[in-house]
Amino acid sequence: MSSGDGQQSQALTKPSFSEVQASALVESVFGLKVSKIQPLPSYDDQNFHVCIARTKVTTDGPNECVLKISNTESSKTPDLIEVQTHIIMFLRAAGFPTASVCRTKGDNVSSLVTVDSGSEVKSYLVRLLTYLPGRPIAEIPIGPQLLYEIGRLAAKLDKTLEKFHHPKLSSLHRENFIWNLKSVPLLEKYLYALGQNRNREIVEQVIQLFKDEVMTSLSHFRECINHGDLNDHNILIVSSESAFGDAVYQVSGILDFDDMSYGYYVFEVAITIMYMMIESKTPIQVGGHVLAGFESVVPLTPVERGALFLLVCSRFCQSLVLAAYSCQLYPENEEYLMITAKTGWKHLQQMFDMGRKAVEEIWFETAKSYESGISM
């Protein structure tokens, strides 16, 4: 869901390859013939669902893939994309349901493609990943057990990445990356996109609280690599039937590692809570179940717990403000960009109206109930 580091600008060019051009890319860069191709929704990159035609030469390999074409700004950071791609491979080897990476004909994990439109030359990084089964959890009602498992998954992912090494790992220190929670004060540049209303007033209050309370506590948070975008469209699930005839859900895919950066454990759980609230009919209850799962792997410190409410509010602000801003740049992509806004403003207002103490009490009591084996 990201753009390049620093301020998003109109200089960022979202790719606009046709299906024919995308098919030609798959063949020329990866040496695979396409039997069917269709676009997938995306924020500011371009993705295609690709079916691979079997030939005498390509009898092995995946049948379905995702062609990822990065925008012009992201394409200027090949080291970062290389590290993110190797993390996908590392996590898959560690047992996580991430995609496999298809190598180019030159045995690389990505390729820089240059397009000359006549008036200007633009470069785009392209990658090909295997297509993962399942459907987004946004499409199903998420119960307490699945929320717990998603919280646990988020913590295990960050914990596992403590063991990841790469010579270009420092590229994940993304200074002023707009989607890192540390960058909440940078939202002030985009507030004009909201107009003058109660929503803007709440965002302004959250930003000020963030400056006063979170920025001064960062040195007390434990650092780690964050996925940074475990939203309800980036986690896939498959269902099976239990012995009692109930649907049992299992995570079958983790998508979109483009927002990865160095952050903190408490950032990851806050981001996950916020996105799991989006489609919930009882959004305030969500946090305790996700927190319990997360803390079964990485218990938070008192300082980290004390920042959780404000961090969840801050992520709502990031998502909602940047969606409003991006809609002005890409009105044709409004339906996808405004997914969070459908319920997000209402949830943020509810949290703010209830206040930190009341929300924390619900979250922490729910999380505590898992310790005794009785989930609320």
Side-chain angles (χ1 to χ4, degrees), residues 28-59:
S28 63
V29 176
F30 299 96
L32 299 170
K33 196 147 186 68
V34 175
S35 62
K36 185 182 175 185
I37 188 167
Q38 60 186 70
L40 292 168
S42 61
Y43 197 85
D44 51 19
D45 297 320
Q46 196 176 18
N47 299 325
F48 290 92
H49 180 190
V50 180
C51 294
I52 304 300
R54 296 274 71 101
T55 66
K56 289 179 182 177
V57 182
T58 57
T59 52

Short mmCIF file of all heavy atoms in Angstrom, two decimals, residues 28-59:
data_model
loop_
_atom_site.label_atom_id
_atom_site.label_comp_id
_atom_site.label_asym_id
_atom_site.label_seq_id
_atom_site.Cartn_x
_atom_site.Cartn_y
_atom_site.Cartn_z
N SER A 28 9.07 -11.93 -21.89
CA SER A 28 10.42 -11.44 -22.19
C SER A 28 11.34 -11.46 -20.97
O SER A 28 12.53 -11.75 -21.09
CB SER A 28 10.34 -10.01 -22.75
OG SER A 28 9.80 -9.13 -21.79
N VAL A 29 10.79 -11.17 -19.78
CA VAL A 29 11.62 -11.09 -18.57
C VAL A 29 11.77 -12.44 -17.88
O VAL A 29 12.86 -12.79 -17.41
CB VAL A 29 11.04 -10.05 -17.59
CG1 VAL A 29 11.84 -10.03 -16.28
CG2 VAL A 29 11.03 -8.66 -18.22
N PHE A 30 10.67 -13.21 -17.84
CA PHE A 30 10.69 -14.45 -17.06
C PHE A 30 10.66 -15.72 -17.93
O PHE A 30 10.78 -16.83 -17.41
CB PHE A 30 9.51 -14.47 -16.08
CG PHE A 30 9.55 -13.33 -15.10
CD1 PHE A 30 8.83 -12.16 -15.33
CD2 PHE A 30 10.32 -13.41 -13.95
CE1 PHE A 30 8.89 -11.09 -14.45
CE2 PHE A 30 10.38 -12.35 -13.05
CZ PHE A 30 9.67 -11.19 -13.31
N GLY A 31 10.49 -15.53 -19.22
CA GLY A 31 10.54 -16.69 -20.12
C GLY A 31 9.34 -17.61 -20.01
O GLY A 31 9.42 -18.80 -20.33
N LEU A 32 8.20 -17.04 -19.56
CA LEU A 32 6.98 -17.85 -19.40
C LEU A 32 5.88 -17.34 -20.32
O LEU A 32 5.72 -16.13 -20.51
CB LEU A 32 6.50 -17.80 -17.95
CG LEU A 32 7.48 -18.36 -16.90
CD1 LEU A 32 7.00 -18.03 -15.50
CD2 LEU A 32 7.66 -19.86 -17.08
N LYS A 33 5.12 -18.27 -20.89
CA LYS A 33 4.05 -17.89 -21.80
C LYS A 33 2.74 -17.78 -21.02
O LYS A 33 2.44 -18.60 -20.17
CB LYS A 33 3.91 -18.93 -22.91
CG LYS A 33 3.10 -18.47 -24.10
CD LYS A 33 3.63 -19.09 -25.39
CE LYS A 33 2.93 -18.53 -26.63
NZ LYS A 33 3.27 -17.12 -26.85
N VAL A 34 1.98 -16.74 -21.31
CA VAL A 34 0.74 -16.45 -20.58
C VAL A 34 -0.46 -17.00 -21.34
O VAL A 34 -0.63 -16.77 -22.54
CB VAL A 34 0.59 -14.92 -20.39
CG1 VAL A 34 -0.74 -14.59 -19.73
CG2 VAL A 34 1.75 -14.39 -19.56
N SER A 35 -1.33 -17.72 -20.61
CA SER A 35 -2.57 -18.21 -21.23
C SER A 35 -3.75 -17.31 -20.88
O SER A 35 -4.72 -17.21 -21.63
CB SER A 35 -2.87 -19.64 -20.77
OG SER A 35 -3.08 -19.70 -19.37
N LYS A 36 -3.65 -16.61 -19.71
CA LYS A 36 -4.73 -15.72 -19.28
C LYS A 36 -4.15 -14.69 -18.32
O LYS A 36 -3.27 -15.01 -17.53
CB LYS A 36 -5.83 -16.54 -18.60
CG LYS A 36 -7.07 -15.75 -18.20
CD LYS A 36 -8.05 -16.67 -17.47
CE LYS A 36 -9.25 -15.88 -16.95
NZ LYS A 36 -10.16 -16.73 -16.14
N ILE A 37 -4.66 -13.47 -18.39
CA ILE A 37 -4.15 -12.42 -17.50
C ILE A 37 -5.27 -11.45 -17.16
O ILE A 37 -6.10 -11.14 -18.02
CB ILE A 37 -2.95 -11.67 -18.14
CG1 ILE A 37 -2.30 -10.71 -17.13
CG2 ILE A 37 -3.35 -10.94 -19.41
CD1 ILE A 37 -0.93 -10.19 -17.58
N GLN A 38 -5.33 -11.00 -15.90
CA GLN A 38 -6.32 -9.99 -15.53
C GLN A 38 -5.76 -9.11 -14.42
O GLN A 38 -4.98 -9.56 -13.58
CB GLN A 38 -7.63 -10.65 -15.09
CG GLN A 38 -7.53 -11.57 -13.90
CD GLN A 38 -8.84 -12.28 -13.64
OE1 GLN A 38 -9.26 -13.14 -14.41
NE2 GLN A 38 -9.50 -11.92 -12.55
N PRO A 39 -6.14 -7.83 -14.42
CA PRO A 39 -5.60 -6.90 -13.42
C PRO A 39 -6.14 -7.21 -12.02
O PRO A 39 -7.26 -7.70 -11.86
CB PRO A 39 -6.07 -5.53 -13.92
CG PRO A 39 -7.24 -5.82 -14.80
CD PRO A 39 -7.03 -7.17 -15.38
N LEU A 40 -5.33 -6.89 -11.01
CA LEU A 40 -5.72 -7.00 -9.62
C LEU A 40 -5.75 -5.60 -9.01
O LEU A 40 -5.01 -4.72 -9.46
CB LEU A 40 -4.72 -7.87 -8.85
CG LEU A 40 -4.67 -9.35 -9.20
CD1 LEU A 40 -3.43 -10.01 -8.57
CD2 LEU A 40 -5.93 -10.07 -8.75
N PRO A 41 -6.57 -5.37 -7.99
CA PRO A 41 -6.58 -4.04 -7.36
C PRO A 41 -5.26 -3.74 -6.69
O PRO A 41 -4.58 -4.64 -6.19
CB PRO A 41 -7.72 -4.14 -6.33
CG PRO A 41 -7.91 -5.61 -6.08
CD PRO A 41 -7.53 -6.28 -7.35
N SER A 42 -4.87 -2.48 -6.70
CA SER A 42 -3.61 -2.08 -6.06
C SER A 42 -3.68 -0.61 -5.70
O SER A 42 -4.51 0.13 -6.21
CB SER A 42 -2.42 -2.33 -7.00
OG SER A 42 -2.55 -1.58 -8.18
N TYR A 43 -2.77 -0.21 -4.80
CA TYR A 43 -2.79 1.16 -4.27
C TYR A 43 -2.08 2.12 -5.22
O TYR A 43 -2.70 2.98 -5.81
CB TYR A 43 -2.13 1.18 -2.88
CG TYR A 43 -2.44 2.41 -2.07
CD1 TYR A 43 -3.60 2.47 -1.31
CD2 TYR A 43 -1.57 3.50 -2.04
CE1 TYR A 43 -3.89 3.61 -0.54
CE2 TYR A 43 -1.86 4.62 -1.27
CZ TYR A 43 -3.01 4.67 -0.53
OH TYR A 43 -3.29 5.78 0.22
N ASP A 44 -0.77 1.98 -5.39
CA ASP A 44 -0.07 2.85 -6.33
C ASP A 44 0.95 2.11 -7.20
O ASP A 44 1.76 2.72 -7.88
CB ASP A 44 0.59 4.04 -5.63
CG ASP A 44 1.46 3.63 -4.45
OD1 ASP A 44 1.84 2.44 -4.40
OD2 ASP A 44 1.77 4.48 -3.60
N ASP A 45 0.89 0.76 -7.14
CA ASP A 45 1.65 -0.07 -8.09
C ASP A 45 0.64 -0.69 -9.05
O ASP A 45 -0.52 -0.31 -9.07
CB ASP A 45 2.43 -1.16 -7.34
CG ASP A 45 3.47 -0.58 -6.39
OD1 ASP A 45 4.12 0.41 -6.76
OD2 ASP A 45 3.62 -1.11 -5.28
N GLN A 46 1.08 -1.68 -9.83
CA GLN A 46 0.16 -2.38 -10.72
C GLN A 46 0.40 -3.88 -10.60
O GLN A 46 1.56 -4.34 -10.65
CB GLN A 46 0.35 -1.93 -12.18
CG GLN A 46 -0.81 -2.32 -13.09
CD GLN A 46 -0.65 -1.78 -14.51
OE1 GLN A 46 0.44 -1.40 -14.93
NE2 GLN A 46 -1.73 -1.78 -15.26
N ASN A 47 -0.67 -4.63 -10.38
CA ASN A 47 -0.57 -6.08 -10.22
C ASN A 47 -1.48 -6.79 -11.22
O ASN A 47 -2.58 -6.30 -11.53
CB ASN A 47 -0.99 -6.50 -8.79
CG ASN A 47 -0.11 -5.89 -7.72
OD1 ASN A 47 1.09 -5.71 -7.92
ND2 ASN A 47 -0.70 -5.55 -6.59
N PHE A 48 -1.02 -7.96 -11.68
CA PHE A 48 -1.82 -8.78 -12.59
C PHE A 48 -1.82 -10.23 -12.10
O PHE A 48 -0.79 -10.74 -11.66
CB PHE A 48 -1.24 -8.76 -14.01
CG PHE A 48 -1.39 -7.46 -14.73
CD1 PHE A 48 -0.39 -6.49 -14.68
CD2 PHE A 48 -2.53 -7.20 -15.50
CE1 PHE A 48 -0.51 -5.29 -15.35
CE2 PHE A 48 -2.66 -5.99 -16.18
CZ PHE A 48 -1.64 -5.04 -16.11
N HIS A 49 -3.00 -10.86 -12.19
CA HIS A 49 -3.11 -12.30 -11.95
C HIS A 49 -2.83 -12.99 -13.29
O HIS A 49 -3.53 -12.75 -14.28
CB HIS A 49 -4.52 -12.64 -11.45
CG HIS A 49 -4.73 -14.09 -11.17
ND1 HIS A 49 -5.97 -14.63 -10.91
CD2 HIS A 49 -3.86 -15.14 -11.12
CE1 HIS A 49 -5.86 -15.93 -10.70
NE2 HIS A 49 -4.59 -16.26 -10.84
N VAL A 50 -1.80 -13.83 -13.30
CA VAL A 50 -1.32 -14.42 -14.55
C VAL A 50 -1.45 -15.94 -14.49
O VAL A 50 -1.02 -16.57 -13.53
CB VAL A 50 0.17 -14.05 -14.79
CG1 VAL A 50 0.67 -14.67 -16.07
CG2 VAL A 50 0.36 -12.54 -14.80
N CYS A 51 -2.07 -16.51 -15.51
CA CYS A 51 -2.09 -17.97 -15.67
C CYS A 51 -1.02 -18.34 -16.70
O CYS A 51 -0.97 -17.75 -17.79
CB CYS A 51 -3.46 -18.45 -16.14
SG CYS A 51 -4.76 -18.18 -14.92
N ILE A 52 -0.17 -19.29 -16.33
CA ILE A 52 0.96 -19.67 -17.17
C ILE A 52 0.58 -20.84 -18.07
O ILE A 52 0.01 -21.84 -17.62
CB ILE A 52 2.18 -20.07 -16.31
CG1 ILE A 52 2.55 -18.92 -15.35
CG2 ILE A 52 3.36 -20.45 -17.18
CD1 ILE A 52 2.92 -17.62 -16.02
N ALA A 53 0.89 -20.70 -19.37
CA ALA A 53 0.63 -21.79 -20.32
C ALA A 53 1.75 -22.82 -20.21
O ALA A 53 2.93 -22.46 -20.17
CB ALA A 53 0.55 -21.23 -21.74
N ARG A 54 1.39 -24.07 -20.15
CA ARG A 54 2.39 -25.15 -20.09
C ARG A 54 2.88 -25.45 -21.50
O ARG A 54 2.10 -25.56 -22.45
CB ARG A 54 1.78 -26.42 -19.49
CG ARG A 54 1.36 -26.27 -18.03
CD ARG A 54 2.53 -26.52 -17.07
NE ARG A 54 3.55 -25.50 -17.07
CZ ARG A 54 3.68 -24.57 -16.16
NH1 ARG A 54 2.83 -24.50 -15.17
NH2 ARG A 54 4.65 -23.70 -16.22
N THR A 55 4.18 -25.54 -21.66
CA THR A 55 4.78 -25.89 -22.94
C THR A 55 5.77 -27.03 -22.71
O THR A 55 6.03 -27.42 -21.57
CB THR A 55 5.53 -24.69 -23.55
OG1 THR A 55 6.66 -24.39 -22.71
CG2 THR A 55 4.63 -23.47 -23.65
N LYS A 56 6.36 -27.52 -23.77
CA LYS A 56 7.37 -28.58 -23.63
C LYS A 56 8.56 -28.08 -22.83
O LYS A 56 9.21 -28.83 -22.10
CB LYS A 56 7.83 -29.03 -25.02
CG LYS A 56 6.78 -29.83 -25.79
CD LYS A 56 7.29 -30.23 -27.16
CE LYS A 56 6.22 -30.98 -27.94
NZ LYS A 56 6.68 -31.31 -29.31
N VAL A 57 8.84 -26.80 -22.96
CA VAL A 57 9.99 -26.23 -22.26
C VAL A 57 9.66 -25.96 -20.79
O VAL A 57 10.48 -26.16 -19.91
CB VAL A 57 10.44 -24.91 -22.94
CG1 VAL A 57 11.66 -24.33 -22.24
CG2 VAL A 57 10.74 -25.16 -24.42
N THR A 58 8.43 -25.47 -20.52
CA THR A 58 8.04 -25.10 -19.15
C THR A 58 7.04 -26.09 -18.58
O THR A 58 5.88 -25.79 -18.37
CB THR A 58 7.43 -23.68 -19.12
OG1 THR A 58 6.30 -23.66 -20.02
CG2 THR A 58 8.42 -22.64 -19.55
N THR A 59 7.49 -27.31 -18.36
CA THR A 59 6.61 -28.32 -17.76
C THR A 59 6.57 -28.17 -16.25
O THR A 59 5.61 -28.59 -15.60
CB THR A 59 7.10 -29.74 -18.12
OG1 THR A 59 8.50 -29.84 -17.78
CG2 THR A 59 6.92 -30.03 -19.60
#
